[in-house]
Amino acid sequence: MAGARASGVDWLRRERAGQQSGKRKQLAEGSRGSLQRFNMAAGAETFSLREVLVAFTACVSEQREVRVDPYLAGWKGLVRFLNCLGTIFSFISKDAVTKIEIIENYRNSDQREKYLTVQSMVEYELANGLVDLQQRSKHPDSGCRTFLRLHRALHWLQMFLEGLRTGEDNSKTSVICSETYNASLANYHPWIVRKAAGVAFCALPTRNTFLETMNVGTAEEAVAMLGDALPYICEVYKITEELYAQHKLLDLP
């Protein structure tokens, strides 16, 4: 286990060194373009936890701002993860695909520089009255509202993956998934969706089978890489949560 984690850390260091010489620029460019080109909805590309790790390590700037392009790149990897598990998570992955597409449209618009970071997006949209604060009306798909939905779903995935990482070999994935869902994303779903999700979770595979879908080797190696990846995801979540709380945006309709 220790050896597997050490190898994961060594790999991460090499990746981060590579980022300094242009990796971040490649990630930003790679996250642009249509979702059709990326083939997310079709699940044509194989999920890799390494891809998600690279994306989220590039998210936070030296000024502790969350870069939008690497964030979307990380989410594309997470969508592939959900898709490879079958239709069980389609109610989440399909919504995430829609939200990613909306944000990418802003990044490809004339105002693309205003959406370079989450901080610049919030500042721009609030200053120009582009956010529906009380009820959805003129701006139903504002960047702030759309990003908040991804932010909430990321919280659930963060908790779920942490539960997988720390669970025992005989832990029931269905229980981990259900408990973390009920503690996070379920609060924003109607009763019928929560009910259907609870039934669907019962069909999840065992913990070790689940870990092997991450395509980084054995279950133990997946656990080690989750240990590397999750702190970056947690940091991105924390910075975004604090920003939205500061501007009273956590309950956008």
Side-chain angles (χ1 to χ4, degrees):
M1 180 73 174
R5 177 166 178 80
S7 63
V9 172
D10 290 342
W11 175 89
L12 176 60
R13 288 171 178 167
R14 292 195 299 271
E15 284 294 329
R16 295 189 69 183
Q19 288 172 6
Q20 302 301 320
S21 62
K23 187 65 177 178
R24 291 178 178 177
K25 181 177 179 181
Q26 293 174 4
L27 280 169
E29 293 174 351
S31 67
R32 295 172 184 168
S34 69
L35 293 185
Q36 288 77 16
R37 184 180 69 239
F38 206 80
N39 291 322
M40 282 175 29
E45 297 187 33
T46 302
F47 168 76
S48 172
L49 182 58
R50 284 191 178 93
E51 170 194 315
V52 174
L53 174 55
V54 170
F56 278 101
T57 58
C59 271
V60 180
S61 71
E62 294 180 358
Q63 294 75 32
R64 288 185 58 76
E65 294 185 336
V66 177
R67 298 185 177 97
V68 169
D69 288 341
Y71 184 93
L72 296 181
W75 249 111
K76 289 175 181 180
L78 291 173
V79 166
R80 279 196 289 275
F81 172 55
L82 295 173
N83 285 345
C84 77
L85 299 174
T87 59
I88 294 174
F89 292 101
S90 62
F91 72 101
I92 296 175
S93 63
K94 287 180 180 178
D95 186 59
V97 167
T98 300
K99 299 299 186 285
I100 292 170
E101 185 175 27
I102 292 171
I103 298 296
E104 284 203 314
N105 286 339
Y106 283 122
R107 284 292 294 130
N108 292 323
S109 71
D110 292 339
Q111 301 298 327
R112 62 177 64 88
E113 295 304 317
K114 305 296 185 182
Y115 294 85
L116 188 63
T117 68
V118 180
Q119 285 75 8
S120 63
M121 174 189 71
V122 169
E123 180 181 358
Y124 168 70
E125 291 198 339
L126 287 179
N128 290 275
L130 300 176
V131 184
D132 294 334
L133 298 175
Q134 302 301 324
Q135 61 182 12
R136 296 184 70 185
S137 56
K138 294 182 179 179
H139 309 286
D141 294 322
S142 66
C144 288
R145 180 188 185 277
T146 302
F147 203 93
L148 176 61
R149 269 56 187 177
L150 289 174
H151 174 69
R152 290 171 176 172
L154 183 67
H155 187 211
W156 166 63
L157 280 170
Q158 167 200 326
M159 294 172 65
F160 176 44
L161 293 174
E162 177 64 18
L164 286 175
R165 186 185 73 84
T166 59
E168 301 294 333
D169 288 345
N170 60 351
S171 297
K172 291 185 177 181
T173 305
S174 58
V175 174
I176 297 172
C177 189
S178 180
E179 289 180 347
T180 54
Y181 172 76
N182 289 333
S184 55
L185 202 54
N187 296 320
Y188 307 102
H189 286 162
W191 178 85
I192 191 169
V193 173
R194 297 197 303 269
K195 188 68 174 179
V199 173
F201 294 158
C202 293
L204 290 173
T206 63
R207 173 180 175 270
N208 283 358
T209 299
F210 215 101
L211 290 170
E212 288 169 3
T213 66
M214 297 180 180
N215 293 318
V216 291
T218 65
E220 290 183 344
E221 289 170 328
V223 165
M225 188 157 287
L226 279 174
D228 293 332
L230 283 169
Y232 291 99
I233 296 176
C234 290
E235 182 181 24
V236 170
Y237 176 83
K238 180 181 178 181
I239 293 173
T240 305
E241 181 79 0
E242 291 173 351
L243 174 69
Y244 270 64
Q246 176 186 344
H247 292 282
K248 297 180 173 59
L249 299 175
L250 288 172
D251 296 313
L252 289 179

